[in-house]
Amino acid sequence: MIKTLVYVVLILIGLCLSPLIVGQSGYVYIAIGDYQIETSLVIGVVGLIVFYFALQLLEWLILLLNMLLSSRYLPEQWRRKAAKKHTLTGALALAEEDWPAAEKAMAKGAEKGEIPVLNLFAAARAAHYQGDITARDHYLTQAENNPIAKTAVYTSRTRYLMKQGELTQARVVLDKLNPTSKSSAPVLKLAQELYLQQNDWQALKLLLPILKKRQLLTETEFNQLNTKTNSILMVNAAKTSEAELNKCWHWLSKSERKQDELVVAYAHGLTQYGHKDKAIKLIIKQLSAAPSAALFAAIPDLIDAQDQEVRKLLSRLETTHEHDADYQMCLAKLAIQSRDTKQAKTHWQNVCRIAPTHQSWLALAQAQEQLGENSSAANSYRNAANII
């Protein structure tokens, strides 16, 4: 307003002074390159004023056009601003685990949000925790329309189905991800978890080298899981046929064929198919190389009272394994096989001295009862009851 008033005052002053100026001589000469302009001083001044007003008018027109365009897109800006507000509200609700509020806010924020996929995943999570499976799958289906989000959608869907206990459906979705060495770490870990829950040891066997190469398992974790997987595969192969048993054994690496658990599993399979002599030779070889708790636990189930060669080898270990509870327990069970109750009692006493357990005290009490040592047996029963 003040600016316009100044312009009006200047115009009035110009009108008042114009009669005086018109009577004055003088001219304006302007040269720009090859162009020359010659005019009177009055016309030059008037031309400058007109030019200035033309520029001012152009500025007003641009401002008016900008206002018209802004008003046209204003509702869209309002919606985006509202989407940001809904997303923030949903994020806070997720942090507070207010699942109904989180789902509602995130779903609204996805409509005009900057990254709607994130809102959809958050809404799906909130729906899952409310047990609304239909809404959860609806949000994931919407997110799947974005090609970049497909892997994340399949991963989320697999994890949700696993939590529901729908392992078969989860496996169908996981197979779409096709876990390989090029897959992401979350996909590989998810595959490991699902294979374990499904007891799909063959698939886990193929996955383990990838997990080790990608350093997703520690050395200890890998060794434990690899041994468990191979042992179960060996047992399952023995249930199928002798050919499958031998095939499974020969698929193992040289170092794996030296592991006690796998040797024991193979020995049990050989015994099942009438190759007890071969099984005992494997046990003797392993026992001579490195006696272990796994071997001591398996020997009583693999041999009988007539297998003296293993018993002689065990007797040679007495000086080095005198204080080994697993060794003493093995000898006690072998003594029971030979109906040597007195010797069994001695070994059970050693077990109870070294590492007493409820079962060892019960076994000692039974041996003492058979020998007529009722008082000692009663004391052993009391000790067994105290350990429960």
Side-chain angles (χ1 to χ4, degrees):
M1 186 67 184
I2 296 176
K3 187 176 180 181
T4 305
L5 183 60
V6 172
Y7 293 155
V8 172
V9 171
L10 290 175
I11 293 172
L12 292 174
I13 294 173
L15 291 173
C16 294
L17 296 177
S18 60
L20 300 175
I21 297 174
V22 171
Q24 302 296 326
S25 60
Y27 75 99
V28 176
Y29 176 76
I30 301 174
I32 303 174
D34 296 333
Y35 298 95
Q36 298 177 357
I37 298 175
E38 249 182 78
T39 183
S40 66
L41 180 60
V42 173
I43 294 176
V45 171
V46 172
L48 289 175
I49 294 173
V50 171
F51 179 73
Y52 173 78
F53 277 105
L55 288 177
Q56 189 67 42
L57 180 61
L58 180 62
E59 181 183 351
W60 289 341
L61 289 174
I62 293 174
L63 182 61
L64 179 61
L65 182 61
N66 186 43
M67 289 178 62
L68 291 174
L69 292 175
S70 298
S71 62
R72 179 182 178 184
Y73 293 104
L74 195 57
E76 183 71 16
Q77 294 177 2
W78 287 342
R79 284 191 286 268
R80 289 182 179 179
K81 187 177 180 180
K84 288 183 179 180
K85 183 179 179 180
H86 289 311
T87 301
L88 177 59
T89 303
L92 295 175
L94 283 174
E96 297 173 359
E97 297 188 356
D98 184 354
W99 307 122
E103 179 189 356
K104 184 178 180 181
M106 283 298 183
K108 287 184 177 180
E111 295 176 0
K112 290 296 179 179
E114 295 181 356
I115 311 178
V117 172
L118 296 181
N119 291 72
L120 291 171
F121 277 119
R125 182 187 177 202
H128 173 77
Y129 277 103
Q130 294 176 83
D132 191 346
I133 308 303
T134 303
R136 181 200 70 193
D137 292 342
H138 173 68
Y139 295 133
L140 291 178
T141 302
Q142 285 184 297
E144 193 176 350
N145 293 330
N146 189 328
I148 301 176
K150 278 193 174 182
T151 299
V153 169
Y154 292 152
T155 303
S156 299
R157 188 168 283 152
T158 302
R159 187 172 287 109
Y160 290 143
L161 289 170
M162 287 172 62
K163 290 180 179 178
Q164 288 177 235
E166 301 289 346
L167 300 183
T168 303
Q169 294 182 32
R171 183 62 178 271
V172 172
V173 180
L174 180 66
D175 288 342
K176 293 180 181 179
L177 292 170
N178 189 26
T180 64
S181 57
K182 297 181 180 180
S183 300
S184 63
V187 171
L188 295 175
K189 292 294 288 184
L190 190 64
Q192 176 197 343
E193 185 179 349
L194 181 56
Y195 294 161
L196 281 171
Q197 290 188 25
Q198 287 189 307
N199 294 323
D200 191 344
W201 304 103
Q202 190 61 53
L204 187 61
K205 173 72 174 175
L206 299 175
L207 183 67
L208 280 172
I210 300 174
L211 295 175
K212 183 180 180 181
K213 185 178 180 181
R214 295 283 295 276
Q215 298 181 346
L216 299 177
L217 293 174
T218 64
E219 191 71 23
T220 302
E221 290 173 338
F222 171 79
N223 290 335
Q224 291 176 348
L225 189 54
N226 189 53
T227 300
K228 180 180 179 180
T229 301
N230 286 327
S231 298
I232 295 176
L233 287 174
M234 191 79 65
V235 172
N236 292 339
K239 293 177 181 178
T240 303
S241 67
E242 183 180 352
E244 285 296 320
L245 174 66
N246 289 321
K247 184 189 296 184
C248 186
W249 173 255
H250 291 296
W251 273 350
L252 300 176
S253 64
K254 188 176 180 180
S255 60
E256 288 174 337
R257 287 199 290 267
K258 293 180 180 179
Q259 294 178 8
D260 294 335
E261 293 84 354
L262 301 182
V263 171
V264 168
Y266 186 48
H268 277 294
L270 290 173
T271 303
Q272 176 183 334
Y273 288 103
H275 302 293
K276 185 177 179 180
D277 292 340
K278 185 177 179 181
I280 290 177
K281 286 181 181 179
L282 277 174
I283 294 297
I284 290 174
K285 180 180 179 181
Q286 195 72 8
L287 191 61
S288 301
S292 67
L295 290 174
F296 292 143
I299 285 174
D301 296 327
L302 290 170
I303 70 173
D304 51 35
Q306 286 72 40
D307 298 316
Q308 295 299 321
E309 190 174 357
V310 177
R311 295 172 183 271
K312 290 178 182 178
L313 179 57
L314 286 171
S315 65
R316 299 193 200 109
L317 300 174
E318 187 171 0
T319 55
T320 55
H321 291 73
E322 180 182 359
H323 302 291
D324 189 330
D326 295 306
Y327 172 74
Q328 295 292 340
M329 192 180 301
C330 177
L331 294 181
K333 292 179 179 179
L334 293 178
I336 293 173
Q337 279 186 0
S338 303
R339 301 179 184 278
D340 190 347
T341 307
K342 187 175 181 180
Q343 191 65 33
K345 184 195 80 169
T346 301
H347 292 303
W348 282 123
Q349 284 176 329
N350 290 333
V351 173
C352 292
R353 173 179 53 82
I354 300 167
T357 63
H358 176 74
Q359 294 299 328
S360 63
W361 279 115
L362 285 179
L364 175 59
Q366 291 170 0
Q368 290 169 333
E369 275 187 332
Q370 291 179 15
L371 294 171
E373 301 174 2
N374 296 329
S375 177
S376 299
N379 186 53
S380 297
Y381 278 124
R382 281 193 296 272
N383 290 332
N386 292 331
I387 295 182
I388 295 178

